[in-house]
Amino acid sequence: MVLLHGLGANRFNMFTTISPLLANEGYCVFAPTFGENASLPAPFDSVGGLGRLEDSAAEVGEFVERVRTATGAQKVSIVGVSEGTLVGNYYVKYFGGAHVVDKFVSLGPAWRGTLGTGPNGDGQWILDLAPDDARTLIPFCAGCPQGLPASDFLAKLWASDAGSYAGLYAPSVTYTNIMTRYDQLVIPYTSGYAEAPNATNIFVQDECSLDFSDHLAIAASRVATGHVLNALDSESTRAVPCVLVTPFHGG
């Protein structure tokens, strides 16, 4: 099991809920920190997700091979959060991951990109920027503008070929997208919804109106993580709890 963090996070602070939960279920859990910017002063040099997403995907590929060598596993499953979903699926499509990834579970995915929030709260300011313009505003984060809807990275991620479903998915991998209607960073919140024969799309509020997870809380939500467990082990599904989940810190 490989966990992939989101933008501005790392392997230590992103998975304080998911990692022990999976370990308690018997999974062997590994997590890299990818996309660090070594030119930044400490402690910012340990912030992940800042590099070019293609480079981060290559890092993930190298990490997965080390995991397979250490464990002897033929295949791994991936749980990605936010940017980690884009990086992970790019690895699947372009760095050989389709041959070694079994299940791919996405929390707060942004398959079609995000507009961000912006000073006016509507995201229009960032929509009006071309990716290269945005890069000049965020010189320390080469990967940030690649999450814009018009980015070349997303265009390649969606590039269709004979071996992909909906242009996005590798047919040999089983995908589950878990989203929240209160996502304030993936805008619109439906950006991670993409249908295909091998993909399941879940909005946590469809089954539990008490879940008010925002983008930051979904990785700690008991509702969302219940769906994660079922996605990873579809032969032993269990009832997903419906409990109050609050924004920012989960429930």
Side-chain angles (χ1 to χ4, degrees):
M1 178 64 58
V2 175
L3 309 181
L4 301 179
H5 61 75
L7 172 64
N10 57 40
R11 66 190 182 99
F12 298 107
N13 60 21
M14 182 101 265
F15 301 112
T16 54
T17 296
I18 294 176
S19 181
L21 174 68
L22 292 175
N24 289 340
E25 293 289 329
Y27 292 98
C28 194
V29 183
F30 299 86
T33 298
F34 56 81
E36 295 166 290
N37 188 338
S39 67
L40 295 176
F44 303 107
D45 58 347
S46 63
V47 174
L50 303 181
R52 291 176 68 249
L53 302 189
E54 299 93 332
D55 297 338
S56 293
E59 290 182 50
V60 168
E62 294 171 0
F63 184 83
V64 169
E65 288 310 302
R66 294 201 300 271
V67 169
R68 294 176 68 223
T69 298
T71 62
Q74 293 300 306
K75 290 203 169 190
V76 302
S77 289
I78 288 177
V79 176
V81 180
S82 190
E83 184 188 276
T85 68
L86 301 179
V87 168
N89 202 29
Y90 197 92
Y91 152 66
V92 168
K93 288 193 68 177
Y94 294 108
F95 289 103
H99 302 294
V100 299
V101 175
D102 179 23
K103 295 181 174 64
F104 193 115
V105 183
S106 302
L107 287 163
W111 297 134
R112 294 178 178 81
T114 178
L115 308 185
T117 51
N120 299 323
D122 60 4
Q124 187 61 45
W125 74 289
I126 203 166
L127 179 63
D128 290 338
L129 291 172
D132 286 343
D133 296 331
R135 191 172 294 115
T136 64
L137 299 178
I138 324 172
F140 60 87
C141 182
C144 290
Q146 293 184 291
L148 295 178
S151 75
D152 292 338
F153 175 86
L154 287 181
K156 188 171 181 180
L157 190 65
W158 278 87
S160 296
D161 57 54
S164 64
Y165 285 138
L168 178 67
Y169 300 126
S172 59
V173 179
T174 300
Y175 293 83
T176 303
N177 302 312
I178 301 171
M179 299 157 282
T180 172
R181 298 181 186 277
Y182 300 109
D183 201 314
Q184 80 280 42
L185 295 182
V186 174
I187 300 175
Y189 67 84
T190 54
S191 175
Y193 185 100
E195 294 184 346
N198 60 333
T200 300
N201 295 283
I202 298 169
F203 292 103
V204 292
Q205 289 81 23
D206 285 350
E207 296 184 21
C208 182
S209 61
L210 296 176
D211 190 330
F212 295 94
S213 296
D214 61 355
H215 191 75
L216 301 177
I218 195 167
S221 161
R222 289 180 60 192
V223 180
T225 53
H227 287 296
V228 169
L229 292 178
N230 284 341
L232 293 172
D233 187 6
S234 57
E235 295 182 359
S236 301
T237 56
R238 66 197 75 185
V240 175
C242 182
V243 296
L244 177 65
V245 180
T246 56
F248 301 108
H249 60 77

